[in-house]
Amino acid sequence: MADNKVVIKINYDKKHSGINTEPQTVTVWHIRRILVAVLALVLILIVLFSWFGGADEDSDTQIDTTEKVQQFNTPDAEIVERQEPTVIEKPVPAIVPKESAHSESVKKIDTVKKPAAIILDRKVIRASLNSEPKDDEPGEPIKSPLRVIPNQSQEVFYFSEIKNMKGRSLFHRWSRNGQIVHQKQLDMKDKISKVWSSKTLSAKDKGEWQVQLTDKKGKVYSEVNFSVNPE
């Protein structure tokens, strides 16, 4: 510790002691010692900084590692790695309902349909197969096949509404199994004419029927097809 002290020397002027007896102060600086002290202080600061700074870095590293561990142990990661058990489903035999008498009757009804007339010329406004007309309008539509009770008969009408053929004559041609059995002449008296013809059918008339609206040259303006079956 004696080496680090600052030495102050006081010189007295012996020759002129009588003139000025006050002492003079001379300061001597030991630069080497000062530099050594400064270096030591700097080293101490560096050690302290590295020690506290390293502690902070370690704490940050621990936090990051903890976060990574938490992310790895999330339920989502476990769900991805877990395999669901394979379930083998046994085929369930289909239950086929038994057909009843009601379902059979429904099937029979479904096979019965209303025959649609085919219009082949724009001059024909309407055409249909019906029961007896009322007030110049067609009656109830006839269903196909037409069920005819033995020993009974049913009259069927073919209705036609025609425009722009005033003064001309057309024909309703009735055919059974491709053979013409009845033909009726129709006179167009108005700009728009409503005409019809009929045929009485019984069980003996079983077969495939067709009614056509034609002119004298045989041109077909409309037609309808239906079947006749006895009960």
Side-chain angles (χ1 to χ4, degrees), residues 126 130-140 157 159 194 196:
R126 288 186 294 171
N130 310 279
S131 60
E132 184 177 2
K134 296 180 180 179
D135 300 327
D136 289 340
E137 287 295 321
E140 295 296 326
F157 293 80
F159 174 86
K194 296 180 182 179
W196 57 84

Side-chain angles (χ1 to χ4, degrees), residues 171-206:
F171 300 88
H172 274 171
R173 183 179 294 170
W174 295 73
S175 300
R176 174 175 172 264
N177 297 330
Q179 300 293 325
I180 299 175
V181 297
H182 178 65
Q183 181 171 289
K184 180 181 179 182
Q185 182 174 335
L186 308 167
D187 296 328
M188 306 294 105
K189 297 180 180 180
D190 300 315
K191 186 176 181 179
I192 297 178
S193 301
K194 296 180 182 179
V195 295
W196 57 84
S197 65
S198 66
K199 186 73 175 69
T200 301
L201 303 174
S202 62
K204 66 180 182 179
D205 296 315
K206 176 184 177 181

